[in-house]
Amino acid sequence: MILTLFFIQVAAATSPTFGPQQRRASATKSVLGPVSKLEVANKILSPDGYARSTVLAGGTFPGPLIQAQQGDEFRIDVINRLNDTLMNTTTSIHWHGILQHRSNWADGAAFVTQCPIPPNGSFLHTFTVPDQAGTFWYHSHLSAQYCDGLRGPLVIYDPEDPLAHMYDVDDESTVIVLSDWYHKLSPQMYNPPFTPDSTLINGLGRYAGGPKSPLAVVNVEQGKRYRFRIVGASCDPWFNFTIDGHQMTIIEADGIEVEPVDVDSLAVFAGQRYSVVVHADQPLGNYWVRALSNFPNQTFDGGLSSAILRYDGAPSEDPTTEHGPYVLPFDEGALHPLIEPGAPGIPEPGKADININLDPGLNGTAGLYTINNISFVDPPLPILLQILSGARHPSQFLPQGSIYELPYNKTIEVSMPATDLTPGGALGGPHTLHLHGHVFDVIRVSGNKSYNFVNPVRRDTVTIGTQANADNVTLRFVTNNPGPWFLHCHINWHLNKGFAVVMAEALSATAAQESQVIPGQSLAR
């Protein structure tokens, strides 16, 4: 029996209702509501002054901000208008950080939960977010396509945010998207080196030797407190984010509110998000916003890797501010969930119901990344459809060796030692690990050899650190969300080379759950 995807379209788009802390889109910023059409198309764009063909959502880079309120139903119709055959003309979109309870089919991971959307096809993603609020994002989950531009922010507002007293402004103007940018098309870069040409902040930047292209401007009013939602939308590097002359107070990590922590610099890895409160308490003027990547030979000269924080009343000119000194460095281990802290299971390493060690490596001969000596390859049929077919025993699911079957309602402990210095290890680190369908408690963070079961940081994307620090990042989660969920490196080039596995969670419950999906909405026999 052949299983196929059935595509339908949303008849109309609407916008959410926002509370007093938020306002609707300005005429200069593209904003969508939770019920929208999202067209994916090619466009010539020059965000750093260099023109190239791109793959864009809604015709912009970053893609349109999608805004919603906690509890909203999402109905987003992704329509494929791609026609540039120098890049992928099929596509998919993943809603990064959205748990997709009872909607695994809408997760958007090509070859895991769906087939890629063909040209002139569409896919209606329908899901609800009853218990999530915070900063998320969306991006292509096909090959390395999001490196060509298909990435954008998604914010779910909480009208009862327990930390709302800490800030005055939280709207589309306070979303800050950090990204790397490449002048080559992604299919020309499937093999290393993967060196970005520039760093973009809110879709604008400059490259070395290039023109003095416009930079993004973040406008503030003196005396007000701003909740800046920072999205790490890079394909590869991580960024050290700073604002000259201003401290930041972290209040959210990956959609989870945290006890406030003051910093003056913030490490943002690919896929991660933070909310920071910044008080505009400095003299009127212009201040550099900086995002220095971890690649060598990076500089701020000429406005590279920079944007501008501009006070109302300041002249429209580049800042002259100096960066540093930094005396409040970021420490991931200092982040603690504000609500219901604590990791599940017995509070001892290796004492979860199921303990899995994932050893990352690199097959130098084939140029492929591996986990436990196996490289993930796209199966001929999406894994969810294999599960629903009932035609195979779990041990026969494809790709063999990359699918970990997990029983329902068990505590899982996953450890991933950094192997970036080991011969045959996963070079190109520090790598960033992202798990679909879950947030997890990081009971051992990078740069720390101790374990925290009492109040560890809870998130969905974490750096696994470096072998030089003897890192063995360890996380825990509970299998309470049936379905196949991707677990992979969020350096997109590495994922494209096989750095991934799938957690196939509660298979019998997955089949029962998907059979209750509205007919024709996602999967049809």
Side-chain angles (χ1 to χ4, degrees):
M1 180 183 298
I2 298 176
L3 296 174
T4 59
L5 289 176
F6 181 76
F7 305 103
I8 64 175
Q9 297 183 357
V10 180
T14 61
S15 297
T17 301
F18 294 99
Q21 295 279 353
Q22 295 91 36
R23 59 185 174 87
R24 293 186 181 276
S26 68
T28 59
K29 191 132 185 177
S30 179
V31 179
L32 299 176
V35 180
S36 298
K37 291 181 185 291
L38 190 62
E39 288 202 354
V40 177
N42 300 116
K43 184 178 180 179
I44 302 296
L45 206 68
S46 52
D48 61 358
Y50 181 91
R52 56 154 289 181
S53 180
T54 62
V55 177
L56 303 180
T60 66
F61 183 82
L65 168 64
I66 298 176
Q67 290 181 326
Q69 288 260 354
Q70 185 173 359
D72 280 348
E73 180 182 25
F74 284 76
R75 294 177 62 85
I76 302 179
D77 195 18
V78 177
I79 304 167
N80 183 355
R81 304 296 188 202
L82 296 173
N83 56 20
D84 187 342
T85 57
L86 294 178
M87 296 177 284
N88 284 299
T89 55
T90 58
T91 192
S92 76
I93 290 185
H94 167 57
W95 315 97
H96 186 120
I98 303 300
L99 299 182
Q100 301 291 358
H101 282 298
R102 304 190 65 81
S103 54
N104 171 267
W105 62 268
D107 189 51
F111 301 106
V112 178
T113 60
Q114 70 170 77
C115 296
I117 306 170
N120 298 313
S122 65
F123 191 97
L124 177 63
H125 296 260
T126 303
F127 54 90
T128 58
V129 285
D131 54 1
Q132 285 188 274
T135 310
F136 307 93
W137 66 303
Y138 60 91
H139 57 82
S140 170
H141 219 299
L142 174 72
S143 186
Q145 189 180 58
Y146 91 67
C147 302
D148 291 314
L150 208 177
R151 29 186 163 159
L154 188 160
V155 175
I156 301 174
Y157 296 97
D158 180 0
E160 299 180 0
D161 180 8
L163 297 176
H165 64 280
M166 294 186 62
Y167 54 88
D168 305 304
V169 183
D170 176 28
D171 58 23
E172 68 275 7
S173 73
T174 63
V175 176
I176 299 176
V177 179
L178 311 179
S179 60
D180 48 351
W181 192 250
Y182 302 83
H183 294 168
K184 290 183 179 179
L185 309 183
S186 67
Q188 300 171 353
M189 298 184 62
Y190 286 164
N191 297 305
F194 310 114
T195 305
D197 292 287
S198 60
T199 292
L200 306 184
I201 301 178
N202 281 349
L204 296 174
R206 297 169 183 169
Y207 66 94
K212 194 174 182 180
S213 190
L215 299 176
V217 176
V218 179
N219 293 294
V220 297
E221 184 177 335
Q222 192 176 43
K224 290 190 174 181
R225 301 165 302 167
Y226 292 80
R227 177 176 182 164
F228 290 126
R229 296 177 179 266
I230 302 164
V231 179
S234 71
C235 291
D236 190 336
W238 64 269
F239 300 105
N240 187 47
F241 180 83
T242 61
I243 304 175
D244 286 1
H246 295 76
Q247 289 186 6
M248 301 175 281
T249 302
I250 303 171
I251 62 170
E252 176 213 348
D254 292 0
I256 303 295
E257 293 154 335
V258 299
E259 297 176 358
V261 176
D262 293 334
V263 297
D264 51 23
S265 62
L266 180 64
V268 184
F269 286 80
Q272 294 185 330
R273 297 88 61 211
Y274 292 95
S275 282
V276 298
V277 175
V278 174
H279 191 188
D281 58 357
Q282 297 301 302
L284 292 182
N286 295 290
Y287 298 83
W288 285 120
V289 178
R290 306 175 188 266
L292 196 69
S293 89
N294 64 309
F295 272 69
N297 304 316
Q298 299 297 296
T299 178
F300 298 120
D301 293 348
L304 271 65
S305 304
S306 302
I308 300 169
L309 183 77
R310 177 164 293 151
Y311 278 66
D312 186 25
S316 297
E317 61 187 21
D318 281 1
T320 57
T321 54
E322 298 291 333
H323 63 96
Y326 303 117
V327 296
L328 297 171
F330 171 74
D331 175 9
E332 188 176 29
L335 298 180
H336 308 300
L338 183 68
I339 300 171
E340 297 182 358
I346 298 172
E348 295 180 42
K351 293 296 182 68
D353 295 323
I354 297 175
N355 304 280
I356 302 172
N357 184 73
L358 300 177
D359 197 11
L362 180 67
N363 183 330
T365 302
L368 298 174
Y369 283 92
T370 62
I371 293 181
N372 292 346
N373 297 315
I374 297 175
S375 181
F376 183 89
V377 294
D378 293 336
L381 190 71
I383 294 165
L384 175 59
L385 300 185
Q386 295 181 52
I387 293 171
L388 297 184
S389 74
R392 293 177 180 271
H393 186 271
S395 64
Q396 297 177 305
F397 289 154
L398 300 176
Q400 288 189 10
S402 293
I403 302 175
Y404 291 71
E405 183 186 359
L406 302 177
Y408 183 67
N409 203 31
K410 299 295 183 181
T411 298
I412 312 300
E413 181 173 303
V414 176
S415 59
M416 182 168 277
T419 59
D420 51 304
L421 300 180
T422 302
L427 302 178
H431 302 280
T432 308
L433 189 70
H434 172 52
L435 174 62
H436 294 214
H438 288 277
V439 291
F440 45 73
D441 290 282
V442 189
I443 58 174
R444 177 174 168 178
V445 300
S446 63
N448 198 320
K449 294 181 176 61
S450 63
Y451 291 82
N452 177 5
F453 294 91
V454 176
N455 58 359
V457 61
R458 183 175 297 142
R459 59 188 322 156
D460 58 55
T461 308
V462 67
T463 173
I464 67 171
T466 65
Q467 191 177 1
N469 291 331
D471 282 325
N472 186 17
V473 168
T474 307
L475 55 93
R476 280 193 178 182
F477 66 96
V478 176
T479 53
N480 57 7
N481 193 12
W485 302 108
F486 230 175
L487 175 65
H488 62 85
C489 180
H490 219 286
I491 295 177
N492 209 209
W493 310 113
H494 299 175
L495 170 58
N496 190 49
K497 288 292 187 178
F499 199 152
V501 295
V502 169
M503 298 293 171
E505 188 171 327
L507 296 183
S508 60
T510 298
Q513 175 176 291
E514 293 299 335
S515 69
Q516 299 173 21
V517 174
I518 299 172
Q521 196 165 28
S522 62
L523 303 171
R525 294 182 186 273

